[in-house]
Amino acid sequence: MSATDQHDVVIVGAGVAGCLAAHRLARRGLKTLVIEAGPRLRRDDVLKDYMTSADPYASACYPNPDHAPRPTPAGAEAYHRNEGPAAYRTDYIRAVGGTTWHWGGAALRLSPADMELASRYGVGRDWPFAYDLLEPWYARAEAELGVAGDAARDDGAPRAGPYPMPAMPLSVLDREVARVFASQGIGFGPLPQARNSVPFDGRPACAGNNMCNPVCPIGAKYSGDVHGRKAEEAGARIISDCQVTRLEALEDGTVTAARIRHPDGTEATVQGRVFIVAANGIETPKLLLASASERFPGGLANSSDQVGRNLMGHTDRLLKVEWMREVYPGFGPQTNSCSMAFRDGGFRAERAGALVTVVNFADLGGITGDLLEGGMVGNDLDRAIRARATRRFELMCFAEELPEAHNRVTIDRQDRDRSGQPRAVIHFTEDAYATRGAAHAADRVKAVARESGAFRVRSEQASLGSVHIMGTALMGTDPRTSVTDPEGRCHDHPNLFIAGGAVFPSAGTVNPTLTIAALSLRTSERVAGHL
Amino acid sequence: MGLKMSVYRREFVVMLASAIAAGAAGVHARTAGRGLLALPRLTPDPAAPTFAVFYRLSQMVTGRIDLDREVARRMFDVFRDEPWAGKHLATAYTAAADALEEGGPDGTMADVLRAGVLQDGERWFVSHLLTTWYLGVYYHPDRPTVRITYRGALMHEAVADYRPVPGFAESETGAWAVRPLHLPETDATRR
């Protein structure tokens, strides 16, 4: 590429947001370029790496090259520097397709209440538009990703039409959990998911591999590379292994170019009429802040001093449980049912709404290792493995964190990561509102255990939910308190847009990916109109 | 409804067959005890560990005659480089073989290990070997961790009647909705 390369749209980041936008814009005939810092992946390679690796964490099978380093739970190299009282340790993938390569597939909509937290409950922020405006975009996102769900349920998010696919069949485990919790007045139901319950879009239906995270071996679970491929078929160009180091803008705020760096250190410039940054809630502010100039000393899109601020996630309570009878976890989708019982109500003035999800995963290695360490052998060992593996699983309670200006991402130009970019510095504090919400849901689960006698809670693990990265470039109508307008266009730059979780004004009570997809589709429509 | 019924019916047949096989798995060690005694005794050399002795000891500690030889070979190639590998292998094998012979046709390796026949070094080695077979991963405090086998890890056998090894499933969608044929529920050590 050279300084003369001119595109209609330049998209930074080839995750689900970037690939959906690229596909939509390329289909409109726009000359679209996507620049992705990380590599292209082949499913078979990821699978092979996972099955031959002895690394302890699931995402170890994904590349972590010097030219596109990423955070890992193992923390061998602290990609981010945490300087706040709480550690915001996340785990995302930089590759064509992004973190949807290893996501769990949960595809839920925000509810109207999720988007009106301030006006209804006096906390947090409202979204700059109501749910009704987003509903058709949710429908389009569900059609694009392929979402399976129960047509008879809306789970608090009204629907104008059915799901693209019928609900995934509930497992023995799902039904047993639902039965026991129903006896205590808490409903569980099918989880809407971007995982094929029937063959869809040229991809097979789920075959029960139960390895959604780290990777679906057969592509039944949606991942962003699907739209990466579709975007290229529609005429978009995706350049991988190429990092955007800064964006350049004129005095009037018009963004004119992206500076890019190849792994061998050579640099180039690409020009565009419109730029979309679709690089998640940490990489997006990193780039905007790194693009500071004499004209924009605080970084691009940052006259409000809001870029990087209001970092959010979900605060978790992970309950390891053991059922009294065999329920056979570890077969079928890793997440397949959930409870909306804690999602909404007047309590949200005081504590966060929460989602409780059945984690259908059998930690066979952990169970076996513990028994071996205890000296168990022979028939006793085999029987004990089975006794535990058929009964033990997890219930995840997560609650929304509020946007707080002091929870933020900044950069340190004196501290560079392996790619040479300024390192992200995260300041994060525990959100008492979210902690109360997660704890309440967990306490209710424990009460069900006591009252039903059907299971026991073996342990409870609390963590700040840094897997769902939201905030840092909030959308809003007031340029003094937000970074983008309601359609994702930066207040400060007429041709710069942001797509992804960074623009969320609230975290909501559900996993963010479907909302990311819906917003990306809406923003790309606006971009097309701009051109 | 028709598809659902066909899933249930087909999976019922599969589960029934698997359950019968899984029910038999519970007597692995006891059967193996008798089977192992029928095999000729080996003469290990502490200075020169052999695959044959390694494989035989693996059969003893896991209680399985039909261990995957390719997996065993990969495992041996890693184990043989450990310091004291030859000594541990020879001593553990000899002690275990002696104890099995003394225990008679109903003796199992589990009995051998419970009886404390092995000394510290050999007990550690046997535990290390058993862990590697069950988890499919070689761990050693002073050496790199190595994935020996993914699909062949013995831990999968305990749940093989209802759970495909992740990554190798070819189930019909919804097969997980079917409760496996009811077996007497295992009650050993839940806590």
Side-chain angles (χ1 to χ4, degrees), chain B residues 58-70:
Chain B
S58 295
Q59 290 173 306
M60 291 176 178
V61 302
T62 64
R64 289 160 171 80
I65 293 281
D66 57 348
L67 290 174
D68 187 313
R69 295 186 80 88
E70 192 180 315

PDB file of all heavy atoms in Angstrom, chain B residues 58-70:
ATOM      1  N   SER B  58       2.925 -49.319  32.698  1.00  0.00           N
ATOM      2  CA  SER B  58       1.755 -48.487  32.403  1.00  0.00           C
ATOM      3  C   SER B  58       0.477 -49.317  32.467  1.00  0.00           C
ATOM      4  O   SER B  58      -0.543 -48.880  33.007  1.00  0.00           O
ATOM      5  CB  SER B  58       1.880 -47.852  31.021  1.00  0.00           C
ATOM      6  OG  SER B  58       2.959 -46.939  30.963  1.00  0.00           O
ATOM      7  N   GLN B  59       0.553 -50.518  31.919  1.00  0.00           N
ATOM      8  CA  GLN B  59      -0.622 -51.400  31.982  1.00  0.00           C
ATOM      9  C   GLN B  59      -0.998 -51.686  33.438  1.00  0.00           C
ATOM     10  O   GLN B  59      -2.165 -51.689  33.811  1.00  0.00           O
ATOM     11  CB  GLN B  59      -0.338 -52.727  31.267  1.00  0.00           C
ATOM     12  CG  GLN B  59      -0.225 -52.617  29.753  1.00  0.00           C
ATOM     13  CD  GLN B  59       0.234 -53.922  29.138  1.00  0.00           C
ATOM     14  OE1 GLN B  59       1.263 -54.476  29.532  1.00  0.00           O
ATOM     15  NE2 GLN B  59      -0.527 -54.411  28.165  1.00  0.00           N
ATOM     16  N   MET B  60       0.008 -51.914  34.242  1.00  0.00           N
ATOM     17  CA  MET B  60      -0.235 -52.245  35.645  1.00  0.00           C
ATOM     18  C   MET B  60      -0.860 -51.070  36.391  1.00  0.00           C
ATOM     19  O   MET B  60      -1.845 -51.235  37.100  1.00  0.00           O
ATOM     20  CB  MET B  60       1.085 -52.607  36.335  1.00  0.00           C
ATOM     21  CG  MET B  60       1.706 -53.902  35.904  1.00  0.00           C
ATOM     22  SD  MET B  60       3.301 -54.075  36.743  1.00  0.00           S
ATOM     23  CE  MET B  60       3.804 -55.675  36.153  1.00  0.00           C
ATOM     24  N   VAL B  61      -0.286 -49.896  36.244  1.00  0.00           N
ATOM     25  CA  VAL B  61      -0.755 -48.788  37.079  1.00  0.00           C
ATOM     26  C   VAL B  61      -2.123 -48.281  36.630  1.00  0.00           C
ATOM     27  O   VAL B  61      -2.895 -47.763  37.426  1.00  0.00           O
ATOM     28  CB  VAL B  61       0.247 -47.619  37.137  1.00  0.00           C
ATOM     29  CG1 VAL B  61       1.588 -48.066  37.654  1.00  0.00           C
ATOM     30  CG2 VAL B  61       0.393 -46.929  35.807  1.00  0.00           C
ATOM     31  N   THR B  62      -2.411 -48.427  35.332  1.00  0.00           N
ATOM     32  CA  THR B  62      -3.713 -47.945  34.860  1.00  0.00           C
ATOM     33  C   THR B  62      -4.777 -49.024  34.928  1.00  0.00           C
ATOM     34  O   THR B  62      -5.967 -48.729  34.833  1.00  0.00           O
ATOM     35  CB  THR B  62      -3.630 -47.453  33.413  1.00  0.00           C
ATOM     36  OG1 THR B  62      -3.285 -48.568  32.566  1.00  0.00           O
ATOM     37  CG2 THR B  62      -2.612 -46.338  33.258  1.00  0.00           C
ATOM     38  N   GLY B  63      -4.338 -50.275  35.067  1.00  0.00           N
ATOM     39  CA  GLY B  63      -5.305 -51.374  35.073  1.00  0.00           C
ATOM     40  C   GLY B  63      -5.899 -51.641  33.710  1.00  0.00           C
ATOM     41  O   GLY B  63      -7.010 -52.147  33.596  1.00  0.00           O
ATOM     42  N   ARG B  64      -5.192 -51.310  32.678  1.00  0.00           N
ATOM     43  CA  ARG B  64      -5.697 -51.490  31.326  1.00  0.00           C
ATOM     44  C   ARG B  64      -4.677 -52.231  30.485  1.00  0.00           C
ATOM     45  O   ARG B  64      -3.522 -51.833  30.368  1.00  0.00           O
ATOM     46  CB  ARG B  64      -6.006 -50.135  30.679  1.00  0.00           C
ATOM     47  CG  ARG B  64      -7.208 -49.432  31.264  1.00  0.00           C
ATOM     48  CD  ARG B  64      -7.154 -47.946  30.925  1.00  0.00           C
ATOM     49  NE  ARG B  64      -8.367 -47.230  31.278  1.00  0.00           N
ATOM     50  CZ  ARG B  64      -8.681 -46.803  32.492  1.00  0.00           C
ATOM     51  NH1 ARG B  64      -7.876 -47.043  33.507  1.00  0.00           N
ATOM     52  NH2 ARG B  64      -9.819 -46.140  32.703  1.00  0.00           N
ATOM     53  N   ILE B  65      -5.149 -53.320  29.857  1.00  0.00           N
ATOM     54  CA  ILE B  65      -4.266 -54.108  28.997  1.00  0.00           C
ATOM     55  C   ILE B  65      -4.029 -53.393  27.672  1.00  0.00           C
ATOM     56  O   ILE B  65      -2.941 -53.365  27.132  1.00  0.00           O
ATOM     57  CB  ILE B  65      -4.903 -55.486  28.724  1.00  0.00           C
ATOM     58  CG1 ILE B  65      -4.958 -56.299  30.011  1.00  0.00           C
ATOM     59  CG2 ILE B  65      -4.147 -56.217  27.632  1.00  0.00           C
ATOM     60  CD1 ILE B  65      -3.647 -56.935  30.398  1.00  0.00           C
ATOM     61  N   ASP B  66      -5.077 -52.797  27.134  1.00  0.00           N
ATOM     62  CA  ASP B  66      -5.031 -52.330  25.740  1.00  0.00           C
ATOM     63  C   ASP B  66      -4.712 -50.852  25.622  1.00  0.00           C
ATOM     64  O   ASP B  66      -5.388 -50.102  24.919  1.00  0.00           O
ATOM     65  CB  ASP B  66      -6.378 -52.616  25.061  1.00  0.00           C
ATOM     66  CG  ASP B  66      -7.544 -51.972  25.824  1.00  0.00           C
ATOM     67  OD1 ASP B  66      -7.336 -51.520  26.969  1.00  0.00           O
ATOM     68  OD2 ASP B  66      -8.668 -51.912  25.283  1.00  0.00           O
ATOM     69  N   LEU B  67      -3.653 -50.428  26.271  1.00  0.00           N
ATOM     70  CA  LEU B  67      -3.257 -49.030  26.164  1.00  0.00           C
ATOM     71  C   LEU B  67      -2.734 -48.741  24.766  1.00  0.00           C
ATOM     72  O   LEU B  67      -2.083 -49.580  24.138  1.00  0.00           O
ATOM     73  CB  LEU B  67      -2.161 -48.720  27.187  1.00  0.00           C
ATOM     74  CG  LEU B  67      -2.594 -48.716  28.649  1.00  0.00           C
ATOM     75  CD1 LEU B  67      -1.373 -48.552  29.542  1.00  0.00           C
ATOM     76  CD2 LEU B  67      -3.595 -47.596  28.917  1.00  0.00           C
ATOM     77  N   ASP B  68      -2.981 -47.527  24.320  1.00  0.00           N
ATOM     78  CA  ASP B  68      -2.538 -47.113  22.989  1.00  0.00           C
ATOM     79  C   ASP B  68      -1.005 -47.103  22.942  1.00  0.00           C
ATOM     80  O   ASP B  68      -0.346 -46.347  23.669  1.00  0.00           O
ATOM     81  CB  ASP B  68      -3.112 -45.710  22.706  1.00  0.00           C
ATOM     82  CG  ASP B  68      -2.870 -45.249  21.289  1.00  0.00           C
ATOM     83  OD1 ASP B  68      -1.721 -45.372  20.791  1.00  0.00           O
ATOM     84  OD2 ASP B  68      -3.811 -44.721  20.675  1.00  0.00           O
ATOM     85  N   ARG B  69      -0.444 -47.918  22.078  1.00  0.00           N
ATOM     86  CA  ARG B  69       1.018 -48.059  22.058  1.00  0.00           C
ATOM     87  C   ARG B  69       1.692 -46.803  21.502  1.00  0.00           C
ATOM     88  O   ARG B  69       2.791 -46.445  21.897  1.00  0.00           O
ATOM     89  CB  ARG B  69       1.416 -49.281  21.230  1.00  0.00           C
ATOM     90  CG  ARG B  69       0.951 -50.597  21.837  1.00  0.00           C
ATOM     91  CD  ARG B  69       1.490 -51.806  21.084  1.00  0.00           C
ATOM     92  NE  ARG B  69       2.864 -52.100  21.457  1.00  0.00           N
ATOM     93  CZ  ARG B  69       3.223 -52.878  22.488  1.00  0.00           C
ATOM     94  NH1 ARG B  69       2.299 -53.430  23.249  1.00  0.00           N
ATOM     95  NH2 ARG B  69       4.491 -53.103  22.754  1.00  0.00           N
ATOM     96  N   GLU B  70       1.036 -46.122  20.600  1.00  0.00           N
ATOM     97  CA  GLU B  70       1.622 -44.899  20.041  1.00  0.00           C
ATOM     98  C   GLU B  70       1.703 -43.825  21.122  1.00  0.00           C
ATOM     99  O   GLU B  70       2.712 -43.111  21.225  1.00  0.00           O
ATOM    100  CB  GLU B  70       0.758 -44.411  18.876  1.00  0.00           C
ATOM    101  CG  GLU B  70       1.405 -43.334  18.041  1.00  0.00           C
ATOM    102  CD  GLU B  70       0.495 -42.895  16.902  1.00  0.00           C
ATOM    103  OE1 GLU B  70      -0.090 -43.766  16.217  1.00  0.00           O
ATOM    104  OE2 GLU B  70       0.354 -41.689  16.720  1.00  0.00           O
TER     105      GLU B  70
END
